[in-house]
Amino acid sequence: MELENLSLPEKTKKLEYAALNLSPKEIAEVCAEVGKLEYSARALGLACRYRGVDCVRALAEGGADFHAELSNYMVETYESYGYDFSIMLLDNFPKQTVPYLMITTEYKESVKCEGGKTLAPIGFDKRVEVLDYLCENREKVEFDPGELLYYAILFGDKRMTEELEKRSAEFSDNRKKMLTDKGERKDLYIWTGLLENLSEKNFVPVLSQITKRLDGVKLHCTEGIYFACEDKLLKVENLEFYFENFDKPKINKIDIMRKSVDRSRTEPLEYAAENGWLKQPKKRDELIEYSQKKGNTECTAWLMDFKNRTADLAAERAKAEKQTERELNAAPDSVTALKPLWSWKKREDGGLVITGYKGNETEVSVPPKIGKDTVTALGMAFSPAARVTNEVSDFRETITRVTLPETITEICDDAFLGCIALESVNIPKSVVKIGKGAFELCRALREADIPEGVAEISDNAFHHCDSLEFVSIPESVKKIGGGAFWYCCILERVHIPNGVTEIVSSAFADCGKLKVIELPDTLRELPHHMLDGCVELESVVIPKSITAIQGYVFYNCRKLKRIDIPDSVKKIGEYAFSRCASLETIVIPEGVEEIGGRSFADNPSLRRVELPRSLKKAVNFSSKFTPTMTVFDNSPNVTAVVCPKSYAERYCKRNNIPFIYKG
């Protein structure tokens, strides 16, 4: 196949084939053949694991590095969400697949290569040689020893951990921030997945290695992190470590005690009793009933003995009778009447935030008041992802309709996250804030009428709302967060009003039915991946206020035919118009000063590489031919309209992009 006809995934596979099968000299020739690839990380990782330092050096000197920015293109190229391929130096891998670390399932032991042969990982001493080379050339290959140390600890690779410590590897400030505060979702997903993979036995030994590198700051705890740790907390030593080393270590005490019963373990029950978890008679008796239903005679006997030793049965009976009488006589909006249905907390402003729904109705109305206090916010009251029992989580996935009162001013982070059956929920006119992931994965939700007064649509607010047909964005909105409407796959039309000054990456990515998007004159830039994967989008008017079109903005917009870039634009990012199969015309103004994409022509060190004679013959090599990856990669029909002597003209010439001059 001629070189110019090879797609980028094909070039990537060609490089990976070389990394596994060819000599260092031949690898260097292939590097010259395919050029500087956007995703060469896996090839470098394969060489690290299966070949040794000479092959790693050949790839690195040919331009390969560990840079692998997560994107749809990356998934298409690698057919996985591989993230940091330097981990292929390690001995161990997680037992189960971890989100964004799917590479680990393929390369645990041997790997197939040419002729049906298999390669086993090289010996540890040889991998140490590779480690030394990577450390010496860390900037060139974009290698972070601190990141490898992080994974080595979590994978339980003690030998590589020791080698990295000898080389003074340390966690970066960003890694420490992710562990102790918050970080990007992909990093949190990896961290959570690796915590889930830890065994009960290794929980304390591994996490002790992590915490000692955090300068005394406690590990950050989220709902997902708690769930990842939960099964390990049946061991009392792990439970104590959790409380001592995680911030805000809230715990589902009922679920822990039920799991203790499920596994016939009385030690956690003893811990629960010592720390007051069984102090309330109702919870104690519910646990006894649960244990009896499970047929667990050992735990039932322990719980009954605890009750007989500690309970004042006469006082408990009298208290229960009084409680029943109060409930019968209570007003509908009283604390007594609503406590069986709702849980809540008081906010600093005096209002209440609803934190949980305990009823069994699938169509629910949230009360405007509880007792004398006004309900002003909605927390994770309906989310199956909240810290609740499996039974409650399963039920929340069946809720179809929620009515919110006009007293609500804030819908908090993840309020309806994962409510897959939710078809309808009103957003009251009183609401001024919609939190991150508020309606994420509400796959049956049909419309979102956002009221005037909301200033920001937060990150992932409506991510993966598969059935969302209509969205109304008011003029009060100034910012649309990252992934806000990502994968709203049947949304056809969006009007973004004037006043919006910022849209964050992937805001409308993979909206597969989106045909029309109207952009405001107040917007400053089009962010990364903004319309990536909007395969039905046929046209878009870029406002004159835009100064930058970032990378991958129109990636895979297959029906887009023409783009007129306004004079205000100074920068066009990498792959901004790649895989636009129908794109015929793009007008690039004279003022554009930067156009993304890598090519031999743009890189002097690569331009001096001499291609092998056999390759020159195979592709009919000439001085005019320059292998490239441009902003128009895999957009075969495009012709650029440029100004004479402009940067755009020079870019088109050196990358063999058809162009004409403005008439």
Side-chain angles (χ1 to χ4, degrees):
M1 183 180 292
E2 292 188 352
L3 181 59
E4 62 262 39
N5 294 327
L6 287 179
S7 67
L8 288 176
E10 288 171 332
K11 291 179 181 179
T12 301
K13 289 179 180 178
K14 192 176 184 72
L15 188 64
E16 291 171 7
Y17 171 87
L20 286 174
N21 295 282
L22 303 184
S23 68
K25 181 179 179 181
E26 291 169 323
I27 290 174
E29 292 180 349
V30 172
C31 287
E33 173 187 346
V34 300
K36 178 71 172 177
L37 294 181
E38 184 68 12
Y39 295 115
S40 53
R42 186 161 63 184
L44 194 56
L46 290 169
C48 289
R49 187 165 187 79
Y50 299 105
R51 299 301 305 279
V53 69
D54 290 336
C55 292
V56 170
R57 183 183 293 108
L59 286 164
E61 291 179 355
D65 58 42
F66 285 118
H67 174 75
E69 180 184 351
L70 183 62
S71 66
N72 289 343
Y73 175 75
M74 178 180 179
V75 177
E76 291 176 11
T77 302
Y78 283 160
E79 298 177 353
S80 76
Y81 290 94
Y83 188 56
D84 191 336
F85 285 94
S86 70
I87 65 174
M88 295 176 79
L89 275 174
L90 304 179
D91 278 328
N92 304 325
F93 289 101
K95 294 180 181 179
Q96 299 175 352
T97 297
V98 175
Y100 300 102
L101 277 177
M102 286 164 54
I103 55 170
T104 59
T105 62
E106 296 181 53
Y107 305 111
K108 289 182 179 179
E109 296 178 2
S110 61
V111 64
K112 290 183 180 180
C113 55
E114 188 178 27
K117 297 180 181 180
T118 59
L119 284 177
I122 59 177
F124 182 73
D125 290 343
K126 290 186 177 180
R127 272 181 280 145
V128 171
E129 291 178 6
V130 173
L131 175 64
D132 284 331
Y133 176 81
L134 296 178
C135 288
E136 292 169 3
N137 296 273
R138 64 185 65 184
E139 293 183 3
K140 182 177 183 178
V141 296
E142 300 197 32
F143 170 68
D144 185 344
E147 284 297 282
L148 188 61
L149 174 65
Y150 167 73
Y151 289 114
I153 293 170
L154 285 169
F155 291 2
D157 191 335
K158 295 180 181 179
R159 293 193 299 176
M160 191 60 75
T161 298
E162 291 175 358
E163 293 297 332
L164 286 160
E165 287 175 335
K166 290 177 185 177
R167 291 156 180 79
S168 303
E170 296 180 354
F171 292 172
S172 67
D173 290 341
N174 285 339
R175 177 57 64 191
K176 290 180 181 178
K177 181 176 176 60
M178 187 282 293
L179 291 167
T180 59
D181 184 7
K182 61 183 66 175
E184 293 186 20
R185 286 207 169 198
K186 63 178 183 294
D187 292 319
L188 288 174
Y189 286 151
I190 294 172
W191 167 236
T192 302
L194 293 173
L195 284 176
E196 191 171 358
N197 270 279
L198 281 179
S199 67
E200 186 179 280
K201 178 182 177 181
N202 291 331
F203 186 78
V204 171
V206 168
L207 291 188
S208 295
Q209 290 287 315
I210 296 289
T211 55
K212 77 178 187 179
R213 292 172 166 84
L214 300 180
D215 307 319
V217 183
K218 290 188 175 184
L219 291 163
H220 183 52
C221 190
T222 64
E223 299 282 346
I225 288 171
Y226 165 69
F227 280 126
C229 298
E230 188 176 26
D231 286 344
K232 271 74 76 174
L233 302 185
L234 296 180
K235 186 176 181 181
V236 173
E237 179 188 0
N238 295 348
L239 195 57
E240 291 173 342
F241 180 90
Y242 176 81
F243 277 114
E244 290 173 3
N245 292 279
F246 283 81
D247 69 348
K248 302 177 183 178
K250 296 179 181 178
I251 192 167
N252 191 324
K253 298 174 182 177
I254 294 174
D255 210 38
I256 289 291
M257 291 188 289
R258 285 188 173 189
K259 286 185 176 181
S260 300
V261 170
D262 292 340
R263 301 185 188 182
S264 299
R265 296 172 67 168
T266 58
E267 297 90 346
L269 297 179
E270 293 172 4
Y271 179 91
E274 291 171 2
N275 288 274
W277 295 13
L278 292 170
K279 187 176 182 180
Q280 295 182 19
K282 182 180 178 182
K283 290 183 178 180
R284 179 203 62 209
D285 290 345
E286 286 176 348
L287 189 61
I288 291 173
E289 182 182 358
Y290 179 82
S291 184
Q292 289 171 335
K293 286 182 179 179
K294 290 288 184 177
N296 191 320
T297 55
E298 184 180 1
C299 289
T300 300
W302 189 94
L303 288 164
M304 291 299 297
D305 178 67
F306 170 78
K307 178 177 179 178
N308 292 333
R309 286 186 289 105
T310 60
D312 185 340
L313 299 180
E316 287 182 12
R317 191 179 303 111
K319 184 177 180 180
E321 291 173 355
K322 288 183 180 180
Q323 177 65 22
T324 301
E325 184 178 355
R326 282 197 300 270
E327 289 176 358
L328 290 172
N329 297 321
D333 62 350
S334 67
V335 172
T336 302
L338 294 176
K339 195 169 184 179
L341 290 175
W342 303 97
S343 55
W344 61 85
K345 291 181 180 179
K346 200 156 190 175
R347 310 181 87 192
E348 292 182 0
D349 62 4
L352 300 182
V353 54
I354 299 290
T355 57
Y357 174 62
K358 297 181 282 186
N360 56 11
E361 300 291 331
T362 58
E363 295 189 3
V364 189
S365 293
V366 175
K369 296 187 72 175
I370 298 177
K372 296 180 180 180
D373 295 316
T374 302
V375 174
T376 59
L378 182 74
M380 294 181 74
F382 299 101
S383 173
R387 192 183 292 114
V388 292
T389 63
N390 292 335
E391 292 86 350
V392 172
S393 178
D394 291 343
F395 166 73
R396 290 183 176 185
E397 290 184 348
T398 68
I399 293 174
T400 59
R401 183 183 184 90
V402 173
T403 303
L404 301 177
E406 291 295 331
T407 56
I408 294 281
T409 60
E410 179 180 356
I411 299 174
C412 300
D413 291 357
D414 302 326
F416 294 96
L417 171 63
C419 291
I420 58 176
L422 185 66
E423 297 176 2
S424 174
V425 58
N426 65 308
I427 304 177
K429 294 180 180 178
S430 52
V431 169
V432 296
K433 183 177 180 181
I434 298 174
K436 295 180 180 179
F439 297 94
E440 186 170 5
L441 286 168
C442 291
R443 304 185 70 169
L445 189 66
R446 294 190 297 269
E447 63 178 51
D449 191 357
I450 302 170
E452 188 72 29
V454 173
E456 177 179 344
I457 301 173
S458 300
D459 294 350
N460 298 290
F462 296 92
H463 174 216
H464 224 305
C465 290
D466 299 18
S467 302
L468 193 67
E469 299 175 352
F470 169 79
V471 60
S472 173
I473 301 174
E475 294 183 358
S476 57
V477 169
K478 305 299 180 188
K479 178 180 178 181
I480 298 175
F485 297 94
W486 182 12
Y487 210 82
C488 291
C489 53
I490 68 169
L491 189 64
E492 293 189 5
R493 186 183 184 94
V494 173
H495 170 70
I496 303 175
N498 281 331
V500 174
T501 58
E502 181 181 3
I503 299 177
V504 187
S505 62
S506 302
F508 297 93
D510 294 311
C511 291
K513 296 291 185 181
L514 188 66
K515 295 180 179 179
V516 177
I517 184 165
E518 299 171 354
L519 302 174
D521 293 332
T522 49
L523 195 61
R524 296 188 291 270
E525 72 172 32
L526 302 185
H528 290 84
H529 300 280
M530 177 180 167
L531 296 164
D532 182 345
C534 293
V535 295
E536 293 292 324
L537 187 68
E538 295 183 359
S539 65
V540 63
V541 176
I542 301 176
K544 296 179 180 179
S545 56
I546 298 295
T547 60
I549 300 172
Q550 301 292 359
Y552 298 89
V553 171
F554 297 100
Y555 184 86
N556 207 25
C557 290
R558 300 174 191 170
K559 291 190 177 181
L560 196 63
K561 295 181 179 179
R562 180 186 174 98
I563 286 286
D564 288 84
I565 299 175
D567 293 341
S568 53
V569 171
K570 303 297 181 185
K571 173 187 175 181
I572 300 173
E574 60 184 1
Y575 303 111
F577 303 97
S578 292
R579 299 213 168 194
C580 295
S582 301
L583 187 62
E584 297 175 352
T585 303
I586 181 164
V587 180
I588 307 176
E590 187 175 10
V592 170
E593 300 170 351
E594 178 183 346
I595 301 178
R598 301 179 181 179
S599 75
F600 280 135
D602 289 332
N603 191 323
S605 64
L606 290 176
R607 195 166 63 242
R608 290 193 296 270
V609 172
E610 179 66 19
L611 296 182
R613 183 178 301 173
S614 59
L615 176 62
K616 291 182 181 181
K617 183 177 180 181
V619 300
N620 191 24
F621 185 84
S622 72
S623 60
K624 295 181 179 180
F625 179 76
T626 306
T628 62
M629 292 196 304
T630 75
V631 292
F632 306 111
D633 184 63
N634 282 309
S635 298
N637 302 310
V638 67
T639 297
V641 181
V642 303
C643 296
K645 299 182 180 180
S646 65
Y647 178 85
E649 179 194 17
R650 296 195 299 275
Y651 182 84
C652 290
K653 282 182 176 180
R654 68 172 176 257
N655 291 296
N656 290 328
I657 297 167
F659 69 92
I660 61 174
Y661 294 121
K662 283 187 178 181

